[in-house]
Amino acid sequence: MRLYKGFAFGFCFTLSLCLAGCLRNSSISQKLPDSEIIFQEMMNRRPYTLGFIQSDGSDYQKIVLPENFVKPFWSSDQSILYGLSNPVGQPPYEFMGYPAYWDMKNGSFKRCDRNLPYFGQIEGYDDLSSNDEVLLYNVSEIILFDMSTCERMETLVDFADRTGEYAISGFSYFPDTQELLYGRFTVPYDTREYALIKLNIDTGEQTKLAEGINPAWSPDGEQIAYIGADGLYVIDRNGKQSKQLISEQFFDAHSAGGPALDTSQLRWSQDGNWLVYHICVDEICEIDSAEIYKVRESDGLSIKIFAGGKFPTWKP
């Protein structure tokens, strides 16, 4: 699959294929709960667990995983559970790792961690309605990636040679119009600026829509949710009709490390009526101090649905 015609940012190179060691002999033997929302639980020490709840906060369940696995994200057909993982002996980060997935049909686990550079550790996914091809991002790049071969296919956004100038925080792709949203911030924290960028992959045209990070297309592509320095916002697809749903400081706008790591990635419900997210009540965002909320798009009604989880996502 090719996402764009004749367009590239910076350089694009092919990662080494994962050979022996790319596929690990781990499995999930139990059936996953039939829950609307899945979220990250204990990940920085064993036992590794994932949490499951209904959208009203009821029917909490969890499963124990044999592998470190963070930021869970369903494929569109629910057959694959994507996430990020770190190999044994590496720091089990709660916000980044190597591309990995669980195949729900046979319970097998795959992680692409061999012969990858540091920036093979990524921070998030988006689904292309294909079980093999996904979009991945880290602080420097957004790439098209083949999970079946563990191979980089194309580079869509590239700040690898500008790491002291720009960084990426969150992205979202809408396949119907071939448009990619991403958050971009300037790295020097004393003069930090934030920009929500819409990129037309066919033409290469880029448009600044707002000041914020971690955007999310609504299911119909008509609205965009994002996180600003002072709250959660929704705008239309052209950056107009802005409204603030929540007044909340999700991240320190002038932190030396930037907002990219623990700030929630917004996720829409399939009917487009609600967004789910987490916030951290302590300065250091441990699982125990993180809370999961949902907010109604129409009026900003915010409801806490669980305490003790991060990076929630709706089931498709």
Side-chain angles (χ1 to χ4, degrees):
M1 175 179 179
R2 190 167 182 84
L3 284 178
Y4 61 97
K5 303 170 184 177
F7 169 68
F9 275 102
F11 65 90
C12 175
F13 61 91
T14 300
L15 299 177
S16 298
L17 298 186
C18 290
L19 303 174
C22 178
L23 181 63
R24 296 179 62 86
N25 295 321
S26 299
S27 64
I28 299 178
S29 58
Q30 67 267 50
K31 182 179 179 181
L32 298 189
D34 186 19
S35 304
E36 294 175 279
I37 294 173
I38 184 172
F39 60 92
Q40 179 177 316
E41 277 201 325
M42 186 57 67
M43 294 295 165
N44 59 353
R45 63 180 182 271
R46 293 183 184 275
Y48 304 136
T49 58
L50 288 178
F52 298 79
I53 52 173
Q54 303 302 341
S55 60
D56 62 2
S58 65
D59 194 25
Y60 163 64
Q61 301 178 62
K62 67 179 180 180
I63 64 169
V64 176
L65 302 177
E67 297 282 344
N68 166 271
F69 193 71
V70 302
K71 291 187 175 179
F73 183 76
W74 285 107
S75 66
S76 57
D77 65 1
Q78 302 177 33
S79 66
I80 297 291
L81 185 62
Y82 297 111
L84 314 176
S85 184
N86 277 286
V88 174
Q90 297 294 323
Y93 295 116
E94 294 189 19
F95 47 77
M96 65 188 296
Y98 294 101
Y101 68 76
W102 295 97
D103 186 332
M104 295 296 103
K105 294 179 181 179
N106 57 30
S108 63
F109 173 76
K110 182 176 184 178
R111 179 177 61 226
C112 296
D113 61 25
R114 182 166 179 153
N115 299 324
L116 296 178
Y118 168 76
F119 287 115
Q121 292 197 338
I122 61 170
E123 296 177 27
Y125 276 92
D126 209 347
D127 182 32
L128 296 177
S129 300
S130 165
N131 290 343
D132 293 332
E133 296 174 0
V134 296
L135 289 172
L136 308 175
Y137 93 95
N138 60 25
V139 69
S140 298
E141 299 172 302
I142 301 175
I143 66 172
L144 177 64
F145 192 78
D146 189 330
M147 290 295 295
S148 66
T149 62
C150 297
E151 183 180 18
R152 178 196 301 251
M153 299 173 68
E154 296 185 27
T155 301
L156 297 157
V157 178
D158 186 358
F159 296 137
D161 59 349
R162 305 178 73 178
T163 54
E165 186 176 357
Y166 291 122
I168 298 167
S169 184
F171 80 114
S172 183
Y173 174 66
F174 190 62
D176 292 359
T177 58
Q178 291 275 286
E179 289 175 307
L180 178 71
L181 301 167
Y182 68 95
R184 184 191 70 194
F185 63 95
T186 56
V187 173
Y189 66 91
D190 55 343
T191 58
R192 182 151 292 166
E193 297 179 352
Y194 296 89
L196 186 66
I197 306 296
K198 180 171 68 172
L199 166 64
N200 185 306
I201 293 177
D202 279 336
T203 66
E205 179 183 3
Q206 295 196 73
T207 306
K208 178 181 175 181
L209 300 181
E211 296 180 357
I213 61 172
N214 292 16
W217 284 108
S218 63
D220 63 4
E222 293 301 316
Q223 296 187 93
I224 298 165
Y226 70 94
I227 294 174
D230 61 349
L232 192 160
Y233 289 81
V234 172
I235 53 177
D236 69 19
R237 64 173 1 266
N238 297 310
K240 309 298 183 183
Q241 300 179 357
S242 175
K243 63 179 178 180
Q244 186 183 47
L245 297 186
I246 298 170
S247 178
E248 179 80 36
Q249 186 179 16
F250 283 81
F251 63 92
D252 182 353
H254 296 288
S255 167
L261 303 180
D262 264 333
T263 305
S264 185
Q265 175 61 58
L266 305 173
R267 302 295 186 189
W268 290 84
S269 62
Q270 288 305 297
D271 59 12
N273 293 329
W274 296 85
L275 288 147
V276 68
Y277 61 95
H278 79 262
I279 57 174
C280 296
V281 297
D282 293 337
E283 183 176 353
I284 298 176
C285 189
E286 301 289 349
I287 290 290
D288 292 344
S289 64
E291 298 175 340
I292 296 175
Y293 285 76
K294 66 177 182 179
V295 59
R296 189 160 57 196
E297 184 279 329
S298 61
D299 59 5
L301 174 65
S302 181
I303 302 171
K304 184 170 78 172
I305 58 176
F306 194 78
K310 297 165 67 174
F311 302 110
T313 187
W314 294 85
K315 180 180 285 189

